[in-house]
């Protein structure tokens, strides 16, 4: 699934970033993509990260970022079920 592949790659890029503006831009892109695909928890987490980056709260941004890989994998576990049932 290209959404999940791109999301995993984006999160890996985000983990290497140190610039709050760049991190915020990546978080915004993740938030929009997650919203498009109906991944509400991922959308909300990306939004919280985006806000922390916007106000340059490095500790909060890193805390949100640390939880993203596991959340992406939980999201991936739901997607096949959604496709099979046609539900979002």
């Amino acid at each position: 699934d290209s959404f999940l592949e791109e999301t995993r790659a984006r999160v890996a890029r985000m983990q290497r970033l140190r610039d709050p503006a760049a991190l915020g831009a990546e978080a915004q892109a993740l938030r929009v993509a997650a919203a498009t695909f109906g991944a509400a928890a991922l959308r909300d987490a990306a939004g919280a990260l985006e806000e922390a980056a916007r106000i340059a709260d490095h500790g909060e941004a890193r805390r949100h970022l640390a939880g993203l890989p596991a959340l992406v994998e939980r999201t991936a576990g739901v997607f096949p079920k959604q496709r099979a049932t046609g539900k979002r």
Side-chain angles (χ1 to χ4, degrees):
D1 183 271
S2 61
F3 165 68
L4 292 171
E5 290 170 9
E6 174 55 31
T7 297
R8 288 178 180 118
R10 183 179 309 280
V11 169
R13 281 193 308 273
M14 292 166 74
Q15 290 175 324
R16 293 188 299 270
L17 292 173
R18 297 294 172 249
D19 175 44
L23 183 58
E26 288 283 0
Q28 179 186 29
L30 176 57
R31 178 179 54 81
V32 170
T36 299
F37 284 91
L42 188 56
R43 177 203 63 212
D44 293 348
L49 174 56
E50 180 184 5
E51 177 62 15
R54 185 186 68 75
I55 63 172
D57 185 338
H58 302 292
E60 191 69 6
R62 291 291 151 202
R63 186 180 70 76
H64 288 296
L65 186 55
L68 281 182
L71 183 55
V72 170
E73 295 314 311
R74 284 196 304 273
T75 301
V78 172
F79 268 39
K81 294 175 188 149
Q82 287 178 341
R83 285 197 185 105
T85 63
K87 296 179 183 177
R88 277 194 179 206

